[in-house]
Amino acid sequence: MKRVLSGIQPSGALHIGNYFGMMRQMIAYQDSADLFCFIANYHAMTSVEEGPALARGTVDAAVSFLSLGLDPDRATFWVQSDVPEVQELTWILSTLAPMGLLERCHSYKDKVAKGIAPNHALFAYPVLMAADILLFQSNAVPVGKDQKQHLEVTRDLAQKFNLTFGETFVVPEAEIDDELAVIPGTDGQKMSKSYGNTIDIFTDRKTLKKTVMSVVTDATPIEEPKNPDQCNLFALYRLFLTPPQVAELRARYLAPGLKYSDVKKELIEAIWNYFEPQRARREELLARPDDVLDILRAGAEKAREAASETLGEVRRKVGLAYW
Ligand code: ADP
Ligand code: TRP
């Protein structure tokens, strides 16, 4: 069975870009693949500098993923730092990672351009991500488009290791759904925790209303037809619609008389209703924190078994097992 793996950073409230860009695909895989899913808290340390915030965010991300439908009986679900083997593999892969390859990574360059003081962890971020993926011999990695280059780095490192030390790692494929590749935020840029333009999945109704009403639209007068393909309100609303409903909305855009404020009101209802059952499940889980911790502990144990197997082989091949 195909092994599918992905992770998400606990660096802030999860938003609908995370859900449609990655989480939904992951949850759908639990019926057809050997699913590995984790909370990337080591990665989040590159942006979250307060211990209590990281700890709270980690539990919150885990509860959110479980509420959205991840079933720990049908997937291996853990917190990255509970399987520290990944750090040893990161070091080993670092010895094969050319500076130039990492210097070319857009994600690193963008963060530096945004004024984040670059440190070694930010630079080495893609190597840790490669270790996450290779340690578990993953075949496929569902991610949003922004992670595409990190998957290329991972493939490069896997191939280089295999060439140098003999066939060891599965060379993974990125799985990027082109339709959903970049979900826009309220301002039309990529929806991202770091741009402050998110629509959060588990927000209260008042905040949801305020956020959706702030979605930027153009100034086409009501009586003129509008262009759905350049409208970020359309791009967001379509996520919640069936194909015939999308066609109907498109027709409303193309006819005169559409009011963006009406569409926004409908979108608020659509988002609120879509996540209704998950909200209830989240309340339930928040009331049983010990059960959530038990789930994570059991998940880490399963993940650790798979990790030790790969790491044992790697240690032998590179000569760390010298006895
Ligand atoms: P953020 O940019 O908000 O910090 P993350 O980097 O934690 O989000 O992303 C977690 C997952 O969600 C990744 O697989 C990423 O590709 C996906 N993702 C994040 N934002 C979007 C978006 N706007 N559209 C599509 N996928 C996204
Ligand atoms: N870098 C990813 C992100 O920001 C999170 C991540 C860490 C990840 N390790 C991974 C995703 C391994 C897929 C596979 O979204």
Side-chain angles (χ1 to χ4, degrees):
M1 206 183 341
K2 162 159 126 171
R3 180 163 291 173
V4 175
L5 171 143
S6 196
I8 194 157
Q9 297 188 67
S11 47
L14 297 177
H15 52 74
I16 64 175
N18 297 140
Y19 181 70
F20 289 102
M22 176 277 215
M23 299 169 91
R24 190 175 62 160
Q25 287 81 307
M26 287 292 280
I27 292 163
Y29 261 127
Q30 61 198 5
D31 296 319
S32 57
D34 180 15
L35 186 64
F36 275 55
C37 182
F38 67 98
I39 308 296
N41 60 341
Y42 282 138
H43 279 107
M45 289 179 76
T46 59
S47 59
V48 184
E49 282 167 1
E50 264 176 73
L54 183 66
R56 249 184 290 116
T58 301
V59 177
D60 188 73
V63 167
S64 297
F65 228 127
L66 294 167
S67 316
L68 290 166
L70 191 87
D71 176 356
D73 292 329
R74 287 184 286 162
T76 304
F77 182 53
W78 76 102
V79 174
Q80 187 182 31
S81 62
D82 286 338
V83 184
E85 282 81 354
V86 74
Q87 291 296 352
E88 185 171 352
L89 184 59
T90 301
W91 178 257
I92 295 168
L93 295 175
S94 287
T95 65
L96 298 173
M99 296 291 285
L101 179 72
L102 302 179
E103 276 161 359
R104 280 194 298 278
C105 285
H106 306 301
S107 164
Y108 172 72
K109 288 195 289 192
D110 290 351
K111 286 173 188 160
V112 174
K114 263 198 276 149
I116 298 174
N119 57 30
H120 178 252
L122 201 65
F123 189 66
Y125 184 111
V127 185
L128 173 57
M129 182 158 161
D132 287 328
I133 297 168
L134 301 180
L135 186 59
F136 298 100
Q137 305 287 12
S138 319
N139 303 102
V141 184
V143 281
K145 197 176 177 182
D146 57 332
Q147 298 298 316
K148 189 171 181 212
Q149 195 182 27
H150 288 161
L151 261 296
E152 282 158 14
V153 170
T154 304
R155 289 170 56 86
D156 262 23
L157 293 176
Q159 278 157 346
K160 201 159 169 195
F161 188 98
N162 288 350
L163 268 176
T164 314
F165 298 105
E167 255 339 277
T168 309
F169 292 120
V170 171
V171 181
E173 303 280 346
E175 267 188 25
I176 299 168
D177 186 331
D178 280 333
E179 272 271 299
L180 303 165
V182 180
I183 291 154
T186 51
D187 58 357
Q189 287 190 80
K190 171 192 146 54
M191 186 179 290
S192 172
K193 282 165 246 168
S194 36
Y195 300 158
N197 63 357
T198 62
I199 301 176
D200 297 340
I201 302 171
F202 294 114
T203 186
D204 61 89
R205 201 175 155 98
K206 202 168 147 210
T207 313
L208 177 67
K209 191 168 163 199
K210 203 169 137 218
T211 315
V212 173
M213 291 319 275
S214 78
V215 170
V216 175
T217 46
D218 65 20
T220 316
I222 295 173
E223 56 284 3
E224 277 177 35
K226 313 198 170 47
N227 184 350
D229 298 315
Q230 283 184 359
C231 177
N232 81 82
L233 183 58
F234 183 86
L236 288 166
Y237 195 6
R238 69 173 303 157
L239 299 169
F240 297 90
L241 300 176
T242 60
Q245 289 171 324
V246 175
E248 202 178 301
L249 182 65
R250 178 177 288 282
R252 282 170 64 201
Y253 264 75
L254 298 175
L258 177 102
K259 276 200 220 160
Y260 286 132
S261 59
D262 288 342
V263 179
K264 288 181 179 178
K265 284 179 199 146
E266 291 168 35
L267 177 57
I268 294 166
E269 289 312 309
I271 298 176
W272 189 256
N273 294 336
Y274 188 95
F275 292 114
E276 179 88 67
Q278 289 91 329
R279 246 190 327 271
R281 172 132 179 81
R282 186 176 153 83
E283 290 307 315
E284 236 177 82
L285 284 168
L286 286 173
R288 301 187 283 121
D290 289 346
D291 292 352
V292 174
L293 298 186
D294 283 346
I295 290 172
L296 293 174
R297 248 190 303 271
E301 220 169 282
K302 260 178 23 185
R304 237 177 150 168
E305 253 174 60
S308 317
E309 208 177 299
T310 309
L311 193 61
E313 185 183 344
V314 169
R315 290 180 120 239
R316 270 193 308 281
K317 287 190 169 154
V318 301
L320 286 172
Y322 58 86
W323 47 87

